[in-house]
Amino acid sequence: MRFGRAAMAVAATLAFGTSPVSAAELSIVSGSVGADIQELRTQLAEFEAETGHHVNIVEMPASTSDQFGQYRLWLAAGTDDIDIYRVDVIWAPQLANQFVDLRDAMADVIGDHFPSVIESQTVEGRLVAFPMYTDAPALFYRKDLLEKYGRTPPTTWEELTETAKEIQDKERRAGNRQIYGFVFQGAPYEGLTCNGLEWVASSGGGQIVSPDGEITINNEAAARALERAHAWVRDIAPAGVLAYKEEEARGVWQTGNAVFMRNWPYAYALSNGEDSPVNGKFEVTTLPAEPGSRSAPCLGGWNLAVSKYSKHKDEAIALVRFLSSRRAQKERALTYARLPTIPALYDDPEIAERQPIIAEWADVVEKAVPRPSAPTKRQYNEVSKEFWTAVNETLSGAASAETNLKTLEHRLRRLKRDGWR
Amino acid sequence: MTNATLGAPPTDEAMRTEEQPAVRSALSRQRLTSAWLFLTPMLAVLAFVAGWPLLQTIWFSFTDASLADLDAARFVGLRNYFEYVDYGDGTGEWFGLFFDAQWWNAVWNTVYYTLVSVSIETVFGLIVALVLNVPFRGRGFVRAAVLIPWAIPTIVSAKMWAWMMNDQFGILNDMLMSIGILSHPIAWTASPETAMWAVIIVDVWKTTPFMALLILAGLQMVPSDVYEAAKIDGVHPVKVFFKVTLPLIRPAILVAVIFRALDALRVFDLIYVLTPNNTETKTMSVFAQENLFQFDQFAYGSAASTLLFLVIAAITLVYIKAARLNLGGGR
């Protein structure tokens, strides 16, 4: 093993003429949804072959909320065990002080990426993380079933509800007992904040907290949107949706047991896999909206940050540069349908052919709605938790949307006091 | 002095007069010194691994500490526990842990979970222990086999049960539906009505063997001649159980219950892994963990941990007092 690595380093020196002073041992920590780890492993192998460094993957659970707690603990302890963190788009303001400023190191490539993504990772002038890929969810629908019942892909939530109900009931009567109309992420975690924000924002209910920090969530449009979602549970969605994250929803969908699914583009590549029962039977479209409002997909995406406590900062930055490069992003787009953060790649003919969702998603990404992580600063996680709790309680029917939103406003006001910190 | 001549043990008075006060104090002083000598390392370790973190947590609960920069923590008094905030427009609100409905909900969840699960485990544990106390072929094997749920790490069993209780792919729903008890699958861990019960079911499955083991140890201490006497007198077995067995194993049961209750009051992993962590199942530990590590509320989480410690301490003291438990050994 050691010999192999040394041989690679020699080969790299011969091939590139650069002499790696010494092969470093790096650690990258990453969550694991779908093929995340496999995806990372493949690309790290290339990096290792080119540089002679060795990179360990520290694997985390799928829930972003779980990952965050652990990352915060490691960073607070100032551990040097982790060099590179794969961080969610919403974390920048909360972890900014613990990461290296990448502005100078990346100066030559910053201009290649979406300015909005770069901006989302900039805190007080410091670029704390660099984009790996961006994300904006899609409405997955079963083309074959919609055609069978002569329906078109829905553009409003009303239409989605009706179509899902009709196909679900008729399919069940025809003997397909396991089928459900719609699956999404209803477990109380960060993903539900995304789902809830999409329902509310696409119904004219605003963004929970406005960009200038006002608490706007307690309004009639928001209550209507959440009541509508409550009606889905058990009517067109399985009761278990209250515990579903991305992968549970994909499980139901990919076994062919759902007419519609709300999920991120990673599910597109996996659902089209050769062993997938829904391979070739589905299409994607943008999320529905209420008439008069526009579709409001939640902006997601993952970035790479270098720990302030790393002992190999230069090598870590080289890895960030490698994983965010045009080449790596294209490879991820081709194999895993990851949305690039480099606008030019959306016109790439090879990507358009292999993963048609990406070319279609260029303007979805640009119009995606950010979660209120910027205005609520270090308190975002708690704001998000209060919101997902209110949404989850509404979905489960513990109280009405109106009551829950009133409580939510009260709690947010208590968090904010005289201003977000 | 007829007693002495008959060879009976000397009376207390006789003992006192026999011992020389000077000799006793020198001996006991020496014993005391060596006792402290042996105890000191353990006390030092305890102070270091238990006392110090506890004191630090209590200290942080009186500050505005944030996990991002613990050294910058400033003393703020009781603000994390209770505080009145005047909005300046004639309105104001009470804040702090004492006025936090989510905290009290977590306290109630924890107490409810502890009461229900420990009660069920005690009854089941007793039944299992009674069965295992009866000699039969293969008893050794069965005794080892019942320990399996206890031996599996909580994280693993919680994940295992989460799959078995899954609404779409779970074997539990499949079995109940095929024998006709259910007409449609239940989302055991997600529905507000069943989430807490799902946790209790898994906990009972997991820790009944532990209760059984402790109670079995108590049962083995009961001398067999008591039963033989009862048998000769023709006492009904049920009466023997309630009048003889139960009083004799009462101390064992009471100790087992407090072990389990202390464990149950600080439950975290089972709930965190098994359920989606909604309001129905959130316990004090989960509440504290969230505030400590996921939110920028390290001080508030420390306050919750401190209250958690006090609640457990209070319940333990009340229990020991009420059950007249003698933890000091002796009679």
Side-chain angles (χ1 to χ4, degrees), chain B residues 205-218:
Chain B
W205 172 82
K206 186 184 156 53
T207 40
T208 296
F210 173 75
M211 288 301 251
L213 208 66
L214 288 188
I215 297 173
L216 182 63

PDB file of all heavy atoms in Angstrom, chain B residues 205-218:
ATOM      1  N   TRP B 205     -38.514  -4.661  24.922  1.00  0.00           N
ATOM      2  CA  TRP B 205     -37.851  -5.795  24.276  1.00  0.00           C
ATOM      3  C   TRP B 205     -36.376  -5.840  24.675  1.00  0.00           C
ATOM      4  O   TRP B 205     -35.819  -6.882  24.956  1.00  0.00           O
ATOM      5  CB  TRP B 205     -37.985  -5.654  22.754  1.00  0.00           C
ATOM      6  CG  TRP B 205     -37.194  -6.660  21.967  1.00  0.00           C
ATOM      7  CD1 TRP B 205     -37.560  -7.939  21.680  1.00  0.00           C
ATOM      8  CD2 TRP B 205     -35.902  -6.474  21.377  1.00  0.00           C
ATOM      9  NE1 TRP B 205     -36.582  -8.550  20.942  1.00  0.00           N
ATOM     10  CE2 TRP B 205     -35.558  -7.686  20.742  1.00  0.00           C
ATOM     11  CE3 TRP B 205     -35.021  -5.398  21.310  1.00  0.00           C
ATOM     12  CZ2 TRP B 205     -34.356  -7.843  20.061  1.00  0.00           C
ATOM     13  CZ3 TRP B 205     -33.823  -5.559  20.633  1.00  0.00           C
ATOM     14  CH2 TRP B 205     -33.501  -6.775  20.017  1.00  0.00           C
ATOM     15  N   LYS B 206     -35.765  -4.666  24.706  1.00  0.00           N
ATOM     16  CA  LYS B 206     -34.333  -4.598  24.925  1.00  0.00           C
ATOM     17  C   LYS B 206     -33.930  -4.802  26.386  1.00  0.00           C
ATOM     18  O   LYS B 206     -32.945  -5.468  26.672  1.00  0.00           O
ATOM     19  CB  LYS B 206     -33.811  -3.236  24.446  1.00  0.00           C
ATOM     20  CG  LYS B 206     -32.305  -3.140  24.514  1.00  0.00           C
ATOM     21  CD  LYS B 206     -31.820  -1.784  24.141  1.00  0.00           C
ATOM     22  CE  LYS B 206     -30.456  -1.526  24.743  1.00  0.00           C
ATOM     23  NZ  LYS B 206     -29.465  -2.550  24.447  1.00  0.00           N
ATOM     24  N   THR B 207     -34.697  -4.239  27.332  1.00  0.00           N
ATOM     25  CA  THR B 207     -34.183  -4.227  28.699  1.00  0.00           C
ATOM     26  C   THR B 207     -34.879  -5.189  29.655  1.00  0.00           C
ATOM     27  O   THR B 207     -34.453  -5.302  30.800  1.00  0.00           O
ATOM     28  CB  THR B 207     -34.199  -2.811  29.290  1.00  0.00           C
ATOM     29  OG1 THR B 207     -35.391  -2.185  28.888  1.00  0.00           O
ATOM     30  CG2 THR B 207     -33.011  -2.031  28.818  1.00  0.00           C
ATOM     31  N   THR B 208     -35.922  -5.888  29.187  1.00  0.00           N
ATOM     32  CA  THR B 208     -36.519  -6.914  30.046  1.00  0.00           C
ATOM     33  C   THR B 208     -35.471  -7.944  30.505  1.00  0.00           C
ATOM     34  O   THR B 208     -35.456  -8.326  31.678  1.00  0.00           O
ATOM     35  CB  THR B 208     -37.706  -7.585  29.336  1.00  0.00           C
ATOM     36  OG1 THR B 208     -38.707  -6.595  29.123  1.00  0.00           O
ATOM     37  CG2 THR B 208     -38.283  -8.712  30.165  1.00  0.00           C
ATOM     38  N   PRO B 209     -34.564  -8.403  29.620  1.00  0.00           N
ATOM     39  CA  PRO B 209     -33.545  -9.359  30.066  1.00  0.00           C
ATOM     40  C   PRO B 209     -32.710  -8.832  31.229  1.00  0.00           C
ATOM     41  O   PRO B 209     -32.355  -9.598  32.136  1.00  0.00           O
ATOM     42  CB  PRO B 209     -32.663  -9.536  28.827  1.00  0.00           C
ATOM     43  CG  PRO B 209     -33.511  -9.171  27.693  1.00  0.00           C
ATOM     44  CD  PRO B 209     -34.475  -8.150  28.180  1.00  0.00           C
ATOM     45  N   PHE B 210     -32.421  -7.555  31.226  1.00  0.00           N
ATOM     46  CA  PHE B 210     -31.624  -6.960  32.296  1.00  0.00           C
ATOM     47  C   PHE B 210     -32.368  -7.062  33.631  1.00  0.00           C
ATOM     48  O   PHE B 210     -31.816  -7.473  34.652  1.00  0.00           O
ATOM     49  CB  PHE B 210     -31.326  -5.506  31.951  1.00  0.00           C
ATOM     50  CG  PHE B 210     -30.646  -4.728  33.043  1.00  0.00           C
ATOM     51  CD1 PHE B 210     -29.308  -4.923  33.326  1.00  0.00           C
ATOM     52  CD2 PHE B 210     -31.360  -3.804  33.793  1.00  0.00           C
ATOM     53  CE1 PHE B 210     -28.692  -4.203  34.327  1.00  0.00           C
ATOM     54  CE2 PHE B 210     -30.749  -3.088  34.804  1.00  0.00           C
ATOM     55  CZ  PHE B 210     -29.411  -3.295  35.071  1.00  0.00           C
ATOM     56  N   MET B 211     -33.655  -6.704  33.603  1.00  0.00           N
ATOM     57  CA  MET B 211     -34.485  -6.806  34.801  1.00  0.00           C
ATOM     58  C   MET B 211     -34.559  -8.261  35.254  1.00  0.00           C
ATOM     59  O   MET B 211     -34.419  -8.564  36.445  1.00  0.00           O
ATOM     60  CB  MET B 211     -35.909  -6.315  34.496  1.00  0.00           C
ATOM     61  CG  MET B 211     -36.031  -4.841  34.323  1.00  0.00           C
ATOM     62  SD  MET B 211     -35.506  -3.972  35.791  1.00  0.00           S
ATOM     63  CE  MET B 211     -37.029  -3.379  36.420  1.00  0.00           C
ATOM     64  N   ALA B 212     -34.767  -9.162  34.283  1.00  0.00           N
ATOM     65  CA  ALA B 212     -34.885 -10.580  34.608  1.00  0.00           C
ATOM     66  C   ALA B 212     -33.626 -11.078  35.305  1.00  0.00           C
ATOM     67  O   ALA B 212     -33.696 -11.807  36.296  1.00  0.00           O
ATOM     68  CB  ALA B 212     -35.137 -11.387  33.331  1.00  0.00           C
ATOM     69  N   LEU B 213     -32.486 -10.626  34.810  1.00  0.00           N
ATOM     70  CA  LEU B 213     -31.210 -11.072  35.370  1.00  0.00           C
ATOM     71  C   LEU B 213     -31.063 -10.630  36.823  1.00  0.00           C
ATOM     72  O   LEU B 213     -30.687 -11.417  37.689  1.00  0.00           O
ATOM     73  CB  LEU B 213     -30.089 -10.472  34.529  1.00  0.00           C
ATOM     74  CG  LEU B 213     -28.801 -11.258  34.481  1.00  0.00           C
ATOM     75  CD1 LEU B 213     -29.026 -12.576  33.767  1.00  0.00           C
ATOM     76  CD2 LEU B 213     -27.726 -10.447  33.785  1.00  0.00           C
ATOM     77  N   LEU B 214     -31.370  -9.359  37.093  1.00  0.00           N
ATOM     78  CA  LEU B 214     -31.223  -8.852  38.456  1.00  0.00           C
ATOM     79  C   LEU B 214     -32.204  -9.539  39.401  1.00  0.00           C
ATOM     80  O   LEU B 214     -31.868  -9.873  40.534  1.00  0.00           O
ATOM     81  CB  LEU B 214     -31.448  -7.340  38.484  1.00  0.00           C
ATOM     82  CG  LEU B 214     -30.344  -6.475  37.876  1.00  0.00           C
ATOM     83  CD1 LEU B 214     -30.605  -5.009  38.153  1.00  0.00           C
ATOM     84  CD2 LEU B 214     -28.988  -6.864  38.432  1.00  0.00           C
ATOM     85  N   ILE B 215     -33.451  -9.753  38.923  1.00  0.00           N
ATOM     86  CA  ILE B 215     -34.452 -10.378  39.782  1.00  0.00           C
ATOM     87  C   ILE B 215     -34.121 -11.852  40.001  1.00  0.00           C
ATOM     88  O   ILE B 215     -34.287 -12.390  41.102  1.00  0.00           O
ATOM     89  CB  ILE B 215     -35.863 -10.194  39.184  1.00  0.00           C
ATOM     90  CG1 ILE B 215     -36.202  -8.691  39.122  1.00  0.00           C
ATOM     91  CG2 ILE B 215     -36.909 -10.929  40.006  1.00  0.00           C
ATOM     92  CD1 ILE B 215     -37.488  -8.360  38.418  1.00  0.00           C
ATOM     93  N   LEU B 216     -33.573 -12.491  38.956  1.00  0.00           N
ATOM     94  CA  LEU B 216     -33.170 -13.890  39.077  1.00  0.00           C
ATOM     95  C   LEU B 216     -32.106 -14.041  40.169  1.00  0.00           C
ATOM     96  O   LEU B 216     -32.150 -14.980  40.976  1.00  0.00           O
ATOM     97  CB  LEU B 216     -32.637 -14.386  37.732  1.00  0.00           C
ATOM     98  CG  LEU B 216     -32.205 -15.849  37.659  1.00  0.00           C
ATOM     99  CD1 LEU B 216     -33.378 -16.769  37.916  1.00  0.00           C
ATOM    100  CD2 LEU B 216     -31.597 -16.169  36.293  1.00  0.00           C
ATOM    101  N   ALA B 217     -31.170 -13.106  40.192  1.00  0.00           N
ATOM    102  CA  ALA B 217     -30.132 -13.137  41.231  1.00  0.00           C
ATOM    103  C   ALA B 217     -30.778 -13.091  42.604  1.00  0.00           C
ATOM    104  O   ALA B 217     -30.367 -13.806  43.529  1.00  0.00           O
ATOM    105  CB  ALA B 217     -29.180 -11.973  41.043  1.00  0.00           C
ATOM    106  N   GLY B 218     -31.838 -12.257  42.753  1.00  0.00           N
ATOM    107  CA  GLY B 218     -32.559 -12.172  44.016  1.00  0.00           C
ATOM    108  C   GLY B 218     -33.265 -13.482  44.357  1.00  0.00           C
ATOM    109  O   GLY B 218     -33.234 -13.950  45.496  1.00  0.00           O
TER     110      GLY B 218
END
